[in-house]
Amino acid sequence: MAKGLLVTYVLWAIGGPAGLHHLYLGRDSHALLWMLTLGGGGLGWLWEFWKLPSFVAQANRAQGQRQSSGRGTPPLSPIRFAAQMIVGIYFGLVALISLSFMASFYVVGLPLAVGLGVLLVAAVGNQTSDFKNTLGVAFLTSPIFYGRPIAILPISLAASITAQKHRRYKTSVGSETLSVRLYRLGLAYLAFTGPLAYSTLCNTAATLSYVAETLGSFLNWFSFFPLLGRLMESVFLLPYRVWRLLVGTLGFSSGYFQEWEKLYEFVHSFQDEKRQLAYQTLHNHHSGQGMEYFHP
């Protein structure tokens, strides 16, 4: 059955951040990505307003083609590469929060989480990438930065480069029932959110401390690149800002959310504190030069 553009826009409007329109179009990877990132922090969902006609046309073409369409290599997309990097980092941070208690976390858990995040973006739309090579590079990169949260960045970079190198078009397969697709998406969603929810609700204080320490050290790495540091800070805080804009202050009446409000304030002021320290150091340096100049 052909997909309708009007229905797609309606689903985009009422359930876009949850990926309803992608589920309708058969773009399950894209739907899962939106479910786990709340529509790309809201920006991806809004940007899709102009992309929906091409998504509908692509879905209708896929329905009319039953044979293999995996020929050729898709064009290189800087946007997809950047999205792979960001989602890989995002998956890595979530793994740090919820799975860091594992004995072999930095060897198994972290590269697996980052690699799956990169592969999820690589599988959006009619494209995909090589599963084994992408995960293999992630596992090989992880021991180089063993035990350090900053390992998320090089692992995501290496996996994203590999995924782009092995990019290809998907091969057309027979259609599946909606129940099977929902079952698969549900399992993937629970696998992502289950450990995170348990860690957050049962160990709120420890989780907040670890998240603050991880984000602090991660943002501190960008001290030599101020503009990039501000960009990463905005990316991390964007889902929170969207949520606060939607629910206002009512959504933070419980104790748990009040604690997460403190975390937000910490991250938000992190860059300001670094700038104030830099200004103070510069001021002291100039004052010292002035004293030397007027010394008899």
Side-chain angles (χ1 to χ4, degrees), residues 83-226:
Q84 288 174 348
M85 280 284 300
I86 294 173
V87 175
I89 292 171
Y90 169 61
F91 273 48
L93 289 174
V94 171
L96 276 171
I97 296 171
S98 56
L99 300 175
S100 57
F101 61 88
M102 293 172 53
S104 56
F105 171 74
Y106 284 97
V107 177
V108 178
L110 185 61
L112 179 62
V114 175
L116 290 177
V118 171
L119 284 169
L120 179 60
V121 178
V124 165
N126 62 347
Q127 297 185 28
T128 187
S129 187
D130 188 88
F131 185 85
K132 293 182 180 179
N133 282 303
T134 303
L135 285 185
V137 168
F139 278 101
L140 290 175
T141 307
S142 181
I144 302 175
F145 302 89
Y146 182 84
R148 286 175 283 181
I150 194 60
I152 298 173
L153 184 60
I155 295 174
S156 182
L157 177 60
S160 298
I161 293 175
T162 305
Q164 284 291 310
K165 181 180 179 181
H166 295 277
R167 66 191 185 278
R168 55 184 170 81
Y169 288 109
K170 291 179 180 177
T171 301
S172 298
V173 295
S175 60
E176 296 178 324
T177 62
L178 180 61
S179 59
V180 172
R181 294 167 55 204
L182 289 176
Y183 177 74
R184 185 187 298 114
L185 287 175
L187 288 180
Y189 185 81
L190 288 176
F192 182 90
T193 59
L196 178 62
Y198 176 82
S199 176
T200 301
L201 296 177
C202 297
N203 306 284
T204 304
T207 300
L208 286 172
S209 176
Y210 194 82
V211 171
E213 180 182 351
T214 300
L215 289 182
S217 61
F218 192 82
L219 291 174
N220 187 54
W221 191 83
F222 291 97
S223 59
F224 297 104
F225 310 97

